[in-house]
Amino acid sequence: MPGNDSGGLGTIRTAIPARLDRLPWARFHWMIVIGLGTVWILDGLEVTMVGAVGSRLTESGSGISLSASDIGTAAAIYVLGSCLGALFFGQLTDRFGRKKLFLLTLGVYIVATTATAFSWAPWFFFLTRFFTGAGIGGEYAAINSAVDELIPARVRGRVDLLINGSYWLGSAAGSALTVFFLSERIFPTDVGWRLSFGLGAVLGLVILVVRRHVPESPRWLFIHGHADDAERIVGDVEQTVEAETGIRLAAPDRQITVRQRTVIPLRTIASTAFRTYPRRAVLGLALFVGQAFLYNAFTFDLGTMLTTFYGVSSSAVPVFLVVYALGNCAGPLLLGRLFDTVGRKPMIASTYLAAAALAVLLAVLFDGGALTAWTFLLLVAATFFFASAGASSAYLTVSEIFPMETRALAIAFFYAVGTAVGGITGPLLFGHLIDTGRTGPVMVGFLVGAAVMAVGGVAELLFGVDAAGRSLEDIAAPLTATEDGDEPYPDEPTRTSGPDRSAAAVEGG
C-alpha cells in the first residue's frame, strides 16, 4: 500500500509513464488481465443468471415468493445499484487509489451475491441485488482506470476491448449453467437457483486471490505524493520483465513534470471534464447512451421476441442466448487489434455505423416476415458483432480522453448516465412494443435503436480523439502537470523521480 515519501509533496519530474509504456508484453500484463479484467465475466454471469432463473423464482416451492413484475423490479434495482455504485466508488477511486477500491468493490460484490443465494423474501432479494449491482458498478470505474494506467499504450485498445468483451463469455456461461442448475432431476426447486448465485461468489473469491497481487497504479501514486512507492513498483516490474523476456529495456524517451497533491477536489475534477473538455463530454455521452439503449433493449427482450414472434419455447431460449452472447464476444476479440493499428476514430465510428445499418436491415426483414427464428438470431448476432466492439470502445474512450485525476469518475459518470438513460428507456420501449404482438411497432423500436447508434458514430467522426498508441499523458495532461520551467508552488521542493535525469529527456504531457 502507499507509503509516505521522505521528501514530502513537491514538484517532481518522472519518466514512469514512458517506462510503463515501453514494456514488452509479459506475465505481469497477463496478471492484470486475469486479476482485473475477469470481473466482466461475473457481470455477464449475474445479469444472465437472473434473467434465466427468473421464471423459477416465481414458481411455488422456490423458497421465495416473487411475481413476474418482481423480476423486472429486481433487474431495475440491479441497474440502479450499478449506476449509483459507479458514481460513489468512482470518486473514491480517484481519491484513495485504484487498488483499495478494486479490492473493496469486489468484496462488496462477493458479500452481496452470497447474500442473494440466501434470500427468503422479495424485499431482501431486492436489497441484495442493489448491492450486487453497486459492487459491479464500482468495478467498472476502478478496473478500467487501473487497466489503462498499467497496460502499454501500443496495445491498450485491444486489451480494453478484450476485457470489456469478456462480459459475453460470462453471459454465455450463465445461459449454459442455468440449464444445469435449474434441472429438477439434479437439484430441488428451492436449491438450484441459490447455487447459481453461489457460483458467482466462488468465482469472485478466486479473482480476489489473484487481484491481491496486482499493484497500485504507479501513475496514481506519483501524483498523490507517493513517488517512492511508484518507483519501487515500476522498478520491480522492469527487473521481472527483463529476467523473463531476456530483453534489455531501453531508456525511457520522455518525462513529465507534476505538482503532487494528496487530494484533488471533486469540483476541480467535474470542472475539468465538462468545462475544459466539453466536446469530449458530448462524445462520451453519445457513445454510452447509444450502446446502452440498443444493448439493454435486446438483451432483456430477446427471449420475449423469440417466443412471441417465432414460437420458441422458454426452455430453448437459453440456447439462442448462448449464440447471441458468443456473437457479442467475437466482435471485440476479432476487431480489437484494429483499434490500435487502424486507429480509434475510424474503428469506433465504423462499428457504431455498421451496427446501425444492420439494425435497419434487421427491422425491414423482421417486419416483412422474411426471417425464421435462426436467421433472425444470426442477423442479430451480426449486428452485435459490430455493436459489441463499439460498446467496449466506449469504455476505452472515456478512460483515455480525460486527465488521470478524473479518469475513474469520468468512467463512472458516463456509465451511470448512459445506463440510466439508454438502459432504462430501451427495455421499457421494446417491452411495450412487443406487447402489441405486431411486428410493425417492434420494427420502429429497431429503427430507434439504429438511430441512437448512428448518433454515436457521427459523434465519433466529429469529436473523436486520435488516441491509438499514445501515452495517456499525451492525450490529456494530468491536472497537476506543469510545463518545464514553470515555478513550483511556494515552499514546494522540486525533486526528480526515476532513473532518467538527463537534460535531454523530452517533457511529456
Side-chain angles (χ1 to χ4, degrees):
M1 306 303 291
N4 292 324
D5 291 335
S6 59
L9 296 181
T11 298
I12 67 166
R13 184 175 297 117
T14 178
I16 282 177
R19 292 165 67 188
L20 289 170
D21 283 339
R22 85 195 196 288
L23 292 175
W25 190 266
R27 281 196 296 267
F28 168 73
H29 300 108
W30 280 118
M31 178 181 67
I32 295 169
V33 170
I34 295 171
L36 300 183
T38 45
V39 72
W40 269 255
I41 296 177
L42 292 181
D43 191 15
L45 191 72
E46 282 292 324
V47 172
T48 306
M49 200 78 77
V50 172
V53 307
S55 58
R56 174 59 52 84
L57 299 178
T58 64
E59 296 175 359
S60 60
S62 66
I64 183 172
S65 302
L66 293 181
S67 65
S69 63
D70 287 336
I71 299 300
T73 301
I77 288 176
Y78 177 86
V79 171
L80 176 64
S82 296
C83 295
L84 296 180
L87 291 172
F88 177 71
F89 291 117
Q91 60 178 309
L92 296 183
T93 300
D94 280 331
R95 181 168 183 176
F96 296 111
R98 307 335 187 190
K99 182 165 185 173
K100 288 180 181 178
L101 269 296
F102 65 58
L103 293 176
L104 174 61
T105 51
L106 183 57
V108 170
Y109 163 80
I110 292 171
V111 171
T113 199
T114 301
T116 302
F118 293 94
S119 297
W120 72 93
W123 70 267
F124 188 79
F125 186 78
F126 296 154
L127 182 66
T128 57
R129 296 313 295 161
F130 175 85
F131 282 104
T132 302
I136 290 293
E139 287 277 291
Y140 278 108
I143 299 307
N144 267 308
S145 53
V147 167
D148 282 351
E149 290 167 9
L150 290 168
I151 294 295
R154 67 184 181 280
V155 295
R156 190 171 59 237
R158 73 194 72 177
V159 171
D160 250 37
L161 262 71
L162 175 64
I163 287 175
N164 284 285
S166 68
Y167 171 98
W168 295 103
L169 288 178
S171 179
S175 297
L177 287 171
T178 50
V179 176
F180 171 72
F181 283 119
L182 296 184
S183 174
E184 294 185 29
R185 294 196 301 265
I186 302 175
F187 301 107
T189 304
D190 63 341
V191 172
W193 67 268
R194 299 182 189 276
L195 294 177
S196 298
F197 290 109
L199 175 65
V202 172
L203 292 175
L205 285 171
V206 173
I207 295 172
L208 186 62
V209 172
V210 178
R211 187 173 288 185
R212 290 177 60 250
H213 300 289
V214 176
E216 177 58 88
S217 164
R219 284 175 155 104
W220 184 90
L221 286 169
F222 74 68
I223 283 180
H224 288 79
H226 305 289
D228 291 347
D229 288 327
E231 284 295 326
R232 174 181 53 79
I233 290 171
V234 176
D236 289 345
V237 171
E238 289 173 329
Q239 290 180 10
T240 301
V241 170
E242 285 188 332
E244 175 190 336
T245 64
I247 298 174
R248 176 68 176 175
L249 296 175
D253 61 356
R254 60 174 54 198
Q255 295 180 321
I256 184 172
T257 303
V258 298
R259 292 168 176 149
Q260 296 175 308
R261 302 286 182 273
T262 54
V263 176
I264 311 296
L266 182 59
R267 64 181 180 275
T268 301
I269 295 175
S271 174
T272 300
F274 297 101
R275 292 186 181 179
T276 307
Y277 298 104
R279 290 162 61 93
R280 298 184 182 190
V282 171
L283 172 64
L285 288 173
L287 294 179
F288 266 88
V289 171
Q291 63 88 19
F293 180 94
L294 193 67
Y295 258 105
N296 286 277
F298 269 86
T299 302
F300 283 111
D301 295 306
L302 182 57
T304 308
M305 284 189 280
L306 288 168
T307 56
T308 302
F309 298 106
Y310 296 104
V312 176
S313 66
S314 58
S315 60
V317 166
V319 177
F320 285 80
L321 292 179
V322 169
V323 176
Y324 169 69
L326 292 177
N328 276 276
C329 185
L333 181 64
L334 297 178
L335 299 178
R337 182 182 182 88
L338 300 178
F339 284 76
D340 286 321
T341 56
V342 175
R344 302 288 198 264
K345 183 181 290 189
M347 287 306 300
I348 295 173
S350 62
T351 52
Y352 268 75
L353 294 175
L358 286 170
V360 171
L361 177 62
L362 176 64
V364 173
L365 295 178
F366 173 79
D367 187 49
L371 301 173
T372 65
W374 279 107
T375 54
F376 170 77
L377 180 67
L378 291 176
L379 190 50
V380 168
T383 302
F384 283 88
F385 173 86
F386 293 102
S388 180
S392 296
S393 69
Y395 292 93
L396 168 66
T397 297
V398 298
S399 179
E400 289 182 319
I401 64 177
F402 294 102
M404 200 221 74
E405 298 90 337
T406 73
R407 183 162 294 123
L409 187 59
I411 297 167
F413 174 81
F414 291 109
Y415 166 76
V417 173
T419 302
V421 176
I424 293 174
T425 58
L428 285 176
L429 174 63
F430 269 72
H432 287 297
L433 296 177
I434 293 169
D435 279 343
T436 66
R438 295 181 290 117
T439 59
V442 178
M443 178 188 71
V444 174
F446 290 161
L447 295 176
V448 173
V452 293
M453 284 296 285
V455 169
V458 172
E460 178 65 31
L461 289 175
L462 295 175
F463 307 132
V465 178
D466 183 16
R470 296 173 60 193
S471 168
L472 294 172
E473 290 72 24
D474 285 342
I475 301 167
L479 303 183
T480 48
T482 177
E483 296 295 333
D484 190 26
D486 283 356
E487 292 297 323
Y489 282 1
D491 302 322
E492 287 185 345
T494 299
R495 299 185 291 117
T496 300
S497 171
D500 186 2
R501 306 185 183 196
S502 67
V506 179
E507 293 297 325

